[in-house]
Amino acid sequence: MNHKFQEVDLMKRTLTSVLVAGALFSLAGAPAVAAVTDKDIENDAKSTGDVLSWGLGTQGQRYSPLAKINTKNVKDLVPVWSFSFGGEKQRGQESQPVIHNGRMFVTGSYSRLFALDAKTGKKLWKYEHRLPDGIMPCCDVVNRGAALYDNLVIFATLDAQLVALDQGSGKVVWKEKIDEYSAGYSATAAPIIAKGLVLTGVSGGEFGVIGRVEALDAKTGKMVWVRPTVEGHMGMKDGKENGVSGTTNATWPGDLWKTGGAATWLGGTYDPETGLAYFGTGNPAPWNSALRPGDNLYSCSTVAIDVATGKIVWHFQGTPNDGWDYDGVNEFVTFKSKDGKHLGGKADRNGFFYVLDAKSGKFQKGFPFVKKITWATGLDENGRPKFDPANRPGDPAKSADGKKGTSVFSAPSFLGGKNQMPMAYSPDTGYFYVPANEWGMEIWNEPVTYKKGAAYLGAGFTIKTLDSKEIGGDYIGAMRAIDPATGKIVWEVKNNAPLWGGVMTTKGGLVFWGTPEGYLKAADAKTGKEVWSFQTGSGVVAPPISWEQDGEQYIGVASGWGGAVPLWGGDVAKKVNYLNQGGSMWVFKLHKSGK
Ligand code: CA
Ligand code: CA
């Protein structure tokens, strides 16, 4: 596995002309942009004329209250425009666009950002970040989207920076380095806004970075607080020490916490009702769990951080002492249960779906959302896994030559029951719509020592398909409607390739999602009956959005196959190596204007 993308060198472009073009456009009279306020952000899930945040609202429900496109007329949904991201190399496009004042802001592979006329697809400006040699993204040169605040559009780059651009001109307003890319840090998550702060995580769990959540003043980029997600590290607020996360060495042996991973690489969600930001955390480093007995907090967890104080209020760990790379980064989506409780749901990479109290983090319920889980036999009353010790990869120190521990076959694979593709929740049906994958892996441990900027795994692996008899058919992906009250899979739509795009559901009774085979699909949210599909020309690994403009409802999604599966997918990558790369934005509306 070559962790460095040599292509980056080939892909580097000059930035000069971009900034000049942006300035000219501004002089030519770009319309003034109404500022995005905290109130707008908090109201985003309800406002239909814009999409201001990753998750269609900071809670991340990915529910559009629009019903102009519905189960009855969705057959008349047709493309309005398509925009190519261009460039010589097409890579994974995992971005969720945002919409404001008739403009779409969508990020592309290689840290690019495009401003487009949302109605016509006309390019307004483009920003291409100048990437240095030697960036180390683990899992393709992706980006998952931008945040909007005031007159700014803010996104994270592969060399671990945050860049804020003027929405009208594309001019850089501020730029802040999160950390050293040469130490393995990168950034791919869509930032979110909470109370005037821009919140972001870091990537680099495969290089022994220190996971953290950073909060910057969204207008200026000035650091407000930092909260490390590895136990033992000191937090900061307003330039002063703000308390250690947890207790040093309580759950980590020796010095391993100093390079402990727990990367917050998928970003977070924020619930204005609780005032908490919820960030998922990745694997503890290194992968070889024999080296770090203990729970290794706060890896493979959800941490709830009080946005006002920058302190962890609660945490819930799905996979203590992870030995399978079950990054618990998956989004925590808050919702109201039918009996009025304020809860949150999370479909963890480890194969279990968790329902927790949104305010206290108290475990309510947990159940598998995939059909085969080998590493645990179930959950106890607190949601802690009942490990199957025989399914933990063995300690290489106990092998005959000290070089390779016992290999085991584990499910899910380390790419997870669910990965980066965000699920959706419908308050109409009360179901979560979860893009799940059924797969497994051979995994074993090897000796490893930390070296700055080098892969820090101490493991070998090959992803495999599962026996079709064990999972009830020949498929990997499955879009599943899950009732959080019962833990039942209400319906599913199987997919040959692993699903890697996100989901959206609507008041129109629809669920939209993309497939690596290139389709954007819609199904009836109640029954799972497929009611519409469109072939976008490349694999869809991004979440769809919807908004309203001049009385019509639009649906949009980025298309472009890539991400972690082709790079890390072992036998599954070989199985789907026919899939086409690409890079474009697609937008749809009703052919008959909703009549
Ligand atoms: Ca909105
Ligand atoms: Ca990982």
Side-chain angles (χ1 to χ4, degrees), residues 265-320:
W265 59 261
L266 192 55
T269 54
Y270 167 66
D271 189 333
E273 195 178 322
T274 61
L276 301 175
Y278 306 96
F279 275 71
T281 61
N283 61 285
W287 285 20
N288 179 351
S289 65
L291 294 171
R292 42 175 174 72
D295 281 359
N296 314 134
L297 291 175
Y298 297 86
S299 64
C300 302
S301 301
T302 295
V303 293
I305 301 172
D306 184 337
V307 168
T309 64
K311 292 197 170 174
I312 296 173
V313 174
W314 59 258
H315 71 275
F316 179 87
Q317 190 174 41
T319 317

Side-chain angles (χ1 to χ4, degrees), residues 460-494:
F461 44 80
T462 307
I463 288 187
K464 307 263 187 194
T465 53
L466 297 176
D467 184 335
S468 65
K469 283 187 209 115
E470 287 180 305
I471 54 168
D474 185 17
Y475 67 98
I476 298 169
M479 176 56 54
R480 290 179 174 149
I482 290 174
D483 186 341
T486 63
K488 295 249 161 65
I489 296 170
V490 182
W491 57 255
E492 69 178 349
V493 175
K494 291 173 181 173

Side-chain angles (χ1 to χ4, degrees), residues 116-163:
L116 310 171
D117 183 313
K119 220 169 149 175
T120 64
K122 184 187 171 209
K123 185 168 79 182
L124 303 175
W125 52 261
K126 161 172 83 162
Y127 170 80
E128 299 202 28
H129 190 71
R130 185 193 290 272
L131 291 168
D133 294 335
I135 55 167
M136 285 175 260
C138 74
C139 309
D140 203 1
V141 287
V142 298
N143 184 276
R144 300 194 176 89
L148 299 175
Y149 191 71
D150 198 39
N151 64 326
L152 302 174
V153 51
I154 306 166
F155 83 120
T157 61
L158 291 164
D159 59 346
Q161 299 193 48
L162 273 184
V163 182

Side-chain angles (χ1 to χ4, degrees), residues 205-206 265 282-283 287 325 327 349:
E206 273 58 55
W265 59 261
N283 61 285
W287 285 20
D325 190 36
D327 290 30
R349 187 149 138 176

Side-chain angles (χ1 to χ4, degrees), residues 40 43-52 56-57:
D40 295 336
N43 194 44
D44 184 26
K46 295 191 184 83
S47 57
T48 52
D50 57 26
V51 176
L52 301 177
L56 284 74

Side-chain angles (χ1 to χ4, degrees), residues 532-560:
W532 178 83
S533 71
F534 180 85
Q535 173 56 249
T536 66
S538 179
V540 178
V541 292
I545 60 163
S546 187
W547 75 100
E548 183 177 34
Q549 202 166 338
D550 299 329
E552 292 182 290
Q553 184 183 354
Y554 291 80
I555 307 283
V557 75
S559 167

